[in-house]
Amino acid sequence: MDIVEGEVAVGVGASAHTVPEGEREPHPSDSLRTFGAFVQALREHAGLSRAEFAAMVQYSKHTVESVELGRRMPDEAFVERAEEALGNTGALRRAARHLTRGEAGLAAWFRRWARLEREAVSLSTYECRLVPGLLQSEEYARAVFEGTIPLRTDEELEEQLAARMERQAILRERPTVPFSFIVEEHVFRRRFGDAEAMRGLLDHVLELTAPRNVTLQVVPVGAALHACLDGPVQVLETLEGRRLGYSEGQQNGRLISDPKEMSLLCQRYETLRSQALNPQESRDLLERLRGEL
């Protein structure tokens, strides 16, 4: 674990800047690390030591070190002073626009999508592996994380569980946003825990998909081969009317923005909608599955 030393103001009077001890980012994001490496490379190219650079930007040497190592989110003053000290090309200002904080419990490749998800004006999800994260019961999510390899510590598991449950708040807090889920029937048949845990999952899914803005469609086991066999996918629409997609595999995820690729994904999703059970038939199926337990 990194050790954070206390920060001391450098400079005189109002231009001095003090950063309180303990403001280190608990979960550094990839963008913070990249920005920090960029600052360090420019500083070294300019032939400046950390102490010399710190004096120029009027921050402590320890703050400079923390930014360069991706442990601290630089504020606007740091970016401006660093820009002026390192050539004033505008590169740091542009890079700073893309800085994001790390988020506990979320995989690095998923964080950007999770932020887009919270602001989307519509969200569509197809899943063939497991119950979508936005619909998982706490017991189901815990079982998923407990089975993950490499094994997580208890603290990491609780962070992941809390993050997943927190994500589900968007279903309750955004009642005018359309949420569409298409899930393969075998996903709901896959056993975990005992019969009570399975009933709890199905009850949770039925409850979350009851509001008018949330639609669940199940692809029955007996359905023919269909248009989304390449794997799970999510599609959202932004406030600006732009469509973005997300696909996930082993230890990675991909944000999709190419218009032609997005057009293809949307066509596939809409085709699958017509091939799946309608929402009422899907709810009836889940209730039958629950009755079989």
Side-chain angles (χ1 to χ4, degrees):
M1 178 177 288
D2 296 313
I3 298 174
V4 182
E5 301 181 49
E7 300 295 351
V8 181
V10 177
V12 181
S15 62
H17 192 93
T18 303
V19 180
E21 181 179 359
E23 286 191 2
R24 170 179 170 269
E25 293 294 314
H27 301 278
S29 66
D30 291 342
S31 65
L32 278 176
R33 293 190 183 97
T34 300
F35 181 83
F38 189 28
V39 171
Q40 182 175 353
L42 290 176
R43 173 181 61 76
E44 292 175 347
H45 181 72
L48 298 170
S49 67
R50 274 191 179 137
E52 291 169 332
F53 180 62
M56 294 177 70
V57 296
Q58 301 174 350
Y59 281 77
S60 76
K61 176 183 174 182
H62 298 305
T63 295
V64 171
E65 180 181 22
S66 292
V67 170
E68 290 186 348
L69 295 178
R71 296 195 308 237
R72 191 181 299 280
M73 173 71 79
D75 60 18
E76 185 177 346
F78 181 97
V79 174
E80 285 300 317
R81 294 173 192 174
E83 181 70 72
E84 293 171 4
L86 298 174
N88 209 23
T89 63
L92 288 178
R93 292 189 190 96
R94 288 194 295 272
R97 295 174 194 156
H98 303 286
L99 283 174
T100 57
R101 297 182 185 277
E103 297 179 57
L106 296 179
W109 60 81
F110 186 73
R111 290 169 185 159
R112 186 179 176 192
W113 181 260
R115 287 187 292 273
L116 290 167
E117 207 175 49
R118 291 194 293 268
E119 301 174 356
V121 297
S122 69
L123 178 67
S124 301
T125 301
Y126 164 66
E127 255 298 352
C128 56
R129 307 163 304 169
L130 72 169
V131 175
L134 288 175
L135 299 180
Q136 292 177 5
S137 66
E138 184 171 339
E139 197 165 357
Y140 182 94
R142 183 180 294 277
V144 169
F145 292 135
E146 287 178 343
T148 300
I149 296 175
L151 297 176
R152 302 292 193 261
T153 65
D154 289 345
E155 181 181 0
E156 290 170 334
L157 191 150
E158 292 303 324
E159 281 187 347
Q160 289 181 312
L161 186 61
R164 180 146 299 178
M165 294 300 101
E166 184 180 340
R167 279 182 61 221
Q168 293 184 3
I170 66 173
L171 294 176
R172 298 185 295 272
E173 296 170 355
R174 309 194 68 198
T176 61
V177 172
F179 293 92
S180 168
F181 298 92
I182 303 177
V183 186
E184 299 282 350
E185 178 183 346
H186 68 79
V187 166
F188 295 112
R189 288 187 175 274
R190 178 169 292 157
R191 299 300 293 262
F192 83 100
D194 55 18
E196 183 178 355
M198 288 291 295
R199 284 193 291 269
L201 168 65
L202 294 173
D203 286 342
H204 188 71
V205 172
L206 287 167
E207 178 185 354
L208 290 181
T209 57
R212 289 184 295 110
N213 65 309
V214 184
T215 302
L216 171 66
Q217 292 181 256
V218 176
V219 182
V221 171
L225 298 179
H226 58 72
C228 287
L229 292 177
D230 283 351
V233 67
Q234 296 185 65
V235 175
L236 63 74
E237 184 178 356
T238 69
L239 285 167
E240 299 77 26
R242 188 181 181 196
R243 289 185 175 180
L244 300 172
Y246 177 78
S247 65
E248 191 170 82
Q250 296 282 342
Q251 291 298 106
N252 67 79
R254 185 168 72 99
L255 183 65
I256 304 165
S257 59
D258 179 73
K260 290 184 178 179
E261 192 170 358
M262 283 309 305
S263 176
L264 181 62
L265 290 179
C266 290
Q267 289 178 48
R268 289 177 177 176
Y269 192 87
E270 291 304 316
T271 300
L272 183 57
R273 258 183 171 163
S274 68
Q275 297 169 324
L277 298 177
N278 68 41
Q280 185 57 57
E281 292 169 339
S282 299
R283 293 184 68 81
D284 291 344
L285 174 58
L286 292 191
E287 288 169 355
R288 287 200 302 275
L289 292 179
R290 189 189 188 286
E292 293 171 4
L293 295 169

